[in-house]
Amino acid sequence: MVEILVIMAAGMLIGYLLRRKKALFPILDRIVMAVIFLLLFVLGISVGLNETVVSSIHMIGVKAVVLTSGAVFGSVLCCGLAYRFFFAATFADTASEAADGEVPHEG
């Protein structure tokens, strides 16, 4: 664990020192994407080699669908409640002002 923190701190320090070198950004973006793809590929290999995961992949898929559906439903519900309790009156006032010919100012 200490090694991970040291490596991360070293990367942050190097990034801080190179933050003004704008020419490096596109190169670093490509390197980061390549490393992420490599990590995903290696993760896929390790999952494919795991007999337990491969034999229960159908149950993992069902659980993933249930969790994803619950997360989407909960997010939509919370957004709807937040809109109703915090923003509905503001938008209604803006709409009525616009209908009266007034242009609301922003800012």
Side-chain angles (χ1 to χ4, degrees), residues 36-54 57:
I36 289 172
F37 289 147
L38 179 65
L39 287 171
L40 288 171
F41 179 73
V42 172
L43 179 66
I45 290 173
S46 67
V47 167
L49 291 174
N50 190 332
E51 293 290 331
T52 306
V53 173
V54 172
I57 196 77

Side-chain angles (χ1 to χ4, degrees), residues 72-100:
V72 169
F73 176 75
S75 295
V76 169
L77 180 68
C78 288
C79 287
L81 290 173
Y83 172 78
R84 182 175 181 189
F85 289 116
F86 298 113
F87 302 109
T90 303
F91 289 119
D93 292 343
T94 304
S96 67
E97 288 175 4
D100 294 338

